[in-house]
């Protein structure tokens, strides 16, 4: 059932363990089956109809010039914003893992991130800082940003997003440790509700040596501090 | 006189549909620039042509909101399914209702009228220098993609014997921005509303905003900002006044 697969895809991390052997990794990667993009096309009419209902329910006149093609545009936009469900880590990372004798911190910071709040379907966006301590294997730098893209272009909760990114990197590289920090502004808090414009939410996921060794964590946080 | 009034009522009704978002389509009346009121209106007193565009019917009430909530929520459930998500999982259980209520909040400008907000806060004051309220945070929804737009509004006006309570300028921004909007139209609506309320010597409105439809999707240009402005009255005719306004909002 495709719903169940989607639930696994974006579901709770289910306590997947950090130290997995490569066979298990391959199996887990294959379980995240990607949806075909043709499915998107076939779902478009239903989404369009839903958006037309919404516009009418809000009291707007769906025949006025500015709104004529809005249901189609909004449906396509929403599909784009949820395109992370299509993609798997396996596809993105497969070739870009290299054997390198580097044993010091690698950080990619200030990765712009845009996601959708799963509670209100309103955007939240911010920056992601990723650091990892390689253990004989390094990954192509843009792949870290691609991992962020895959998991952020879904209906998300910031805590889960942070953990998923960290888990994906650990499973792919088996590094000594992974650290992910996300700082984001949530439109559901800014545009509505409490309406606190300057508030930011910061979440972090520290795995491996970053969790156990305070010095490693300090170094990571110090190097990403000048970021914002 | 009767026939004129009748014609006007019909005109208002016919245009009610296209005026749902108050978009003016060349129907803009700017009383006070030419002596004796805007062209096309039979009335000679400026106040009644002011009342005319304020007479645009409120298109939504709280009861309307309550009644349409279930259908909007059902539409959101369809959308969740259409994206391949499972609407029954814990995080998404109440999302259709939350999203529907949120969307109604983002379009609450349809429930409000300028006249309710402004009615009491116009004062007679002998001030004839520029009054500016700047950096008003603005949140709107793009009518083409239904994604947020946010930015800042700077408003300046040159009073002509009448000044407005300062927060009312921000409230005017709220009423017009909490709708499905196009930034150009939003700028103009704010300027015209202030003009009609106060008949000042001039009004200037500048909006600088980020459009999520450009940032999160499509071209994906993170740092782009869109700036629109509307200058009416002396702000349009006199370059020095306009300069002064633009300098003051920049500092």
């Amino acid at each position: 059932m495709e719903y169940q697969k989607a639930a696994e895809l974006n579901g709770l991390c289910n306590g997947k363990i950090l130290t997995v052997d490569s066979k298990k990794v391959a199996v887990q990667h294959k379980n995240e089956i990607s949806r075909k993009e043709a499915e998107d096309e076939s779902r478009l009419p239903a989404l369009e109809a839903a958006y037309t209902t919404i516009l009418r329910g809000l009291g707007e006149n769906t025949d006025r010039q500015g709104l004529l093609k809005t249901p189609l545009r909004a449906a396509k936009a929403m599909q784009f914003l949820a395109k992370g469900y299509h993609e798997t880590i396996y596809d993105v990372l497969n070739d870009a893992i290299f054997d390198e004798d580097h044993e010091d911190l690698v950080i990619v910071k200030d990765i712009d991130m845009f996601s959708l709040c799963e509670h209100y379907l309103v955007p939240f966006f911010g920056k992601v800082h990723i650091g990892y301590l390689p253990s004989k294997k390094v990954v192509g730098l843009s792949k870290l940003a691609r991992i962020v893209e895959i998991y952020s272009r879904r209906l998300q909760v910031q805590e889960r997003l942070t953990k998923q990114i960290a888990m994906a990197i650990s499973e792919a590289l088996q590094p000594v440790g992974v650290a992910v920090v996300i700082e984001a502004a949530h439109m559901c808090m800014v545009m509505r509700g409490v309406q606190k414009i300057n508030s930011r939410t910061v979440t972090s996921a520290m795995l491996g040596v970053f969790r156990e060794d305070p010095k490693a964590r300090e170094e990571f946080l110090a190097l990403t501090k000048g970021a914002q | 006189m009767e026939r004129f009034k009748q014609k006007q009522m019909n005109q208002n009704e016919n245009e009610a549909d296209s005026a749902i978002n108050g978009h003016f389509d060349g129907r803009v009346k700017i009383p006070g620039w030419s002596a004796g009121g805007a062209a096309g209106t039979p009335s000679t007193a400026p106040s009644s042509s002011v009342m005319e565009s304020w007479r645009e019917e409120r298109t939504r009430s709280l009861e309307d909101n309550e009644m349409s909530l279930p259908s909007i929520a059902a539409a959101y459930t369809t959308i969740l399914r259409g994206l391949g998500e499972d609407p029954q999982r814990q995080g998404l259980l109440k999302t259709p209702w939350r999203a529907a209520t949120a969307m109604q909040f983002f379009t609450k400008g349809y429930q409000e009228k300028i006249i309710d907000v402004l009615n009491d806060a116009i004062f007679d004051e002998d001030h004839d220098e520029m009054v500016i309220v700047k950096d008003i945070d603005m949140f709107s929804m793009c009518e083409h993609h239904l994604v947020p737009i946010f930015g800042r509004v700077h408003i300046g006006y040159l009073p002509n014997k009448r000044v407005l309570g300062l927060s009312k300028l921000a409230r005017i921004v709220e009423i017009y921005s909490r709708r499905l909007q196009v930034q150009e139209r939003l700028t103009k609506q704010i300027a015209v509303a202030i003009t009609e309320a106060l008949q000042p010597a001039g009004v200037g409105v500048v909006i600088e905003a980020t459009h999520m439809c450009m940032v999160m999707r499509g071209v994906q240009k993170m740092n782009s900002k869109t700036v629109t402005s509307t200058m009416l009255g002396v702000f349009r005719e006199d370059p020095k006044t306009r300069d002064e306004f633009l300098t003051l909002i920049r500092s």
Side-chain angles (χ1 to χ4, degrees):
Chain A
M1 287 285 287
E2 55 188 50
Y3 296 154
Q4 282 178 349
K5 285 173 200 159
E8 276 173 23
L9 280 177
N10 199 20
L12 318 159
C13 272
N14 290 334
K16 286 187 188 149
I17 329 141
L18 165 62
T19 51
V20 286
D21 56 44
S22 47
K23 225 160 111 184
K24 232 173 165 185
V25 166
V27 168
Q28 275 172 347
H29 284 171
K30 284 203 179 105
N31 276 339
E32 284 186 67
I33 300 170
S34 56
R35 271 182 325 150
K36 302 254 183 311
E37 287 185 11
E39 281 184 17
D40 263 358
E41 281 284 323
S42 62
R43 292 211 176 112
L44 211 48
L47 289 177
E48 271 187 73
Y51 272 111
T52 312
T53 312
I54 293 174
L55 288 176
R56 291 217 183 98
L58 294 175
E60 264 285 5
N61 170 19
T62 46
D63 291 325
R64 72 173 171 90
Q65 189 210 35
L67 292 187
L68 267 180
K69 292 214 266 170
T70 290
L72 177 61
R73 283 184 293 239
K76 283 196 178 158
M78 191 56 102
Q79 283 185 332
F80 179 86
L81 298 178
K83 72 176 164 70
Y85 292 122
H86 275 312
E87 300 154 353
T88 68
I89 303 296
Y90 198 56
D91 302 325
V92 159
L93 285 185
N94 218 8
D95 294 336
I97 299 182
F98 308 106
D99 297 312
E100 203 57 53
D101 205 9
H102 185 80
E103 285 173 354
D104 286 293
L105 198 45
V106 178
I107 297 180
V108 179
K109 59 182 189 176
D110 289 331
I111 303 172
D112 288 301
M113 176 277 298
F114 300 92
S115 189
L116 272 180
C117 163
E118 74 177 15
H119 300 140
Y120 291 95
L121 300 184
V122 201
F124 69 93
F125 48 85
K127 291 189 190 249
V128 184
H129 312 291
I130 301 177
Y132 71 101
L133 254 174
S135 160
K136 301 296 176 223
K137 293 205 277 185
V138 299
V139 70
L141 299 171
S142 78
K143 303 303 173 277
L144 293 171
R146 286 184 191 275
I147 295 179
V148 170
E149 271 284 293
I150 287 180
Y151 285 119
S152 62
R153 299 286 186 183
R154 300 180 178 189
L155 302 186
Q156 275 289 10
V157 164
Q158 191 176 330
E159 296 87 336
R160 183 195 313 138
L161 172 60
T162 322
K163 192 162 189 184
Q164 283 177 320
I165 296 172
M167 298 294 285
I169 299 172
S170 350
E171 287 173 4
L173 295 180
Q174 292 95 46
V176 179
V178 181
V180 177
V181 172
I182 300 186
E183 182 174 318
H186 289 244
M187 290 290 103
C188 53
M189 259 179 83
V190 167
M191 283 179 76
R192 60 164 293 291
V194 268
Q195 297 192 56
K196 295 296 181 187
I197 298 181
N198 298 317
S199 68
R200 298 282 178 276
T201 305
V202 182
T203 53
S204 65
M206 306 284 175
L207 298 178
V209 74
F210 286 101
R211 174 169 283 188
E212 288 142 26
D213 179 9
K215 285 238 165 84
R217 207 183 314 153
E218 259 179 58
E219 185 185 348
F220 170 70
L221 293 174
L223 286 170
T224 54
K225 199 178 216 177
Q228 283 82 327
Chain B
M1 208 34 157
E2 284 289 292
R3 275 210 344 252
F4 253 129
K5 281 196 184 144
Q6 190 60 28
K7 208 161 144 201
Q8 280 218 309
M9 294 277 282
N10 286 342
Q11 198 185 35
N12 277 348
E13 274 174 31
N14 286 341
E15 289 170 334
D17 280 340
S18 62
I20 277 183
N21 194 14
H23 76 112
F24 288 91
D25 273 350
R27 231 182 12 116
V28 176
K29 301 172 182 63
I30 309 177
W33 305 145
S34 47
T41 56
S43 49
T44 49
S47 54
S48 61
S49 57
V50 161
M51 291 307 292
E52 246 174 64
S53 73
W54 285 3
R55 206 184 283 148
E56 63 185 70
E57 290 303 309
R58 189 184 283 137
T59 59
R60 226 163 78 179
S61 62
L62 290 173
E63 294 81 41
D64 286 338
N65 277 356
E66 275 181 38
M67 297 198 18
S68 52
L69 200 57
S71 63
I72 304 181
Y76 272 114
T77 312
T78 313
I79 291 174
L80 289 179
R81 285 219 186 87
L83 295 176
E85 265 283 8
D86 169 19
Q88 299 305 313
R89 72 171 170 89
Q90 191 213 30
L92 295 185
L93 263 181
K94 294 212 262 170
T95 292
W97 294 93
R98 282 187 293 241
T101 322
M103 194 51 108
Q104 285 183 333
F105 180 87
F106 295 142
T107 52
K108 71 176 166 67
Y110 294 131
Q111 293 164 217
E112 299 157 355
K113 290 202 293 188
I114 300 292
I115 195 171
D116 297 328
V117 158
L118 289 186
N119 222 4
D120 294 336
I122 300 179
F123 306 105
D124 296 313
E125 205 55 56
D126 203 9
H127 187 78
D128 59 0
E129 297 285 339
M130 203 178 292
V131 177
I132 297 180
V133 179
K134 59 181 190 174
D135 290 331
I136 303 171
D137 289 299
M138 176 276 298
F139 300 95
S140 190
M141 287 298 258
C142 163
E143 75 177 14
H144 299 140
H145 297 94
L146 300 184
V147 206
I149 302 171
F150 51 86
R152 294 193 155 162
V153 184
H154 312 287
I155 301 178
Y157 71 100
L158 252 177
N160 180 13
K161 303 289 179 234
R162 303 209 292 180
V163 299
L164 185 59
L166 298 169
S167 78
K168 303 303 175 277
L169 291 169
R171 284 184 194 274
I172 294 179
V173 170
E174 269 285 293
I175 288 182
Y176 285 121
S177 61
R178 296 288 187 184
R179 298 181 176 191
L180 303 183
Q181 273 289 11
V182 163
Q183 190 175 331
E184 297 86 336
R185 184 196 310 141
L186 172 60
T187 323
K188 193 164 190 182
Q189 283 178 320
I190 297 172
V192 170
I194 298 171
T195 309
E196 291 181 347
L198 294 182
Q199 290 95 46
V203 177
V205 177
V206 173
I207 300 187
E208 192 177 306
T210 308
H211 291 241
M212 289 279 100
C213 53
M214 261 179 83
V215 167
M216 283 181 79
R217 60 164 290 289
V219 268
Q220 298 192 56
K221 295 296 181 187
M222 308 291 157
N223 299 317
S224 67
K225 288 201 160 78
T226 306
V227 182
T228 53
S229 66
T230 299
M231 305 288 174
L232 299 178
V234 75
F235 281 74
R236 176 172 281 188
E237 288 143 27
D238 180 9
K240 289 217 183 108
T241 314
R242 203 185 317 154
D243 272 348
E244 184 186 341
F245 172 58
L246 293 175
T247 312
L248 285 172
I249 60 177
R250 212 153 298 275
S251 59

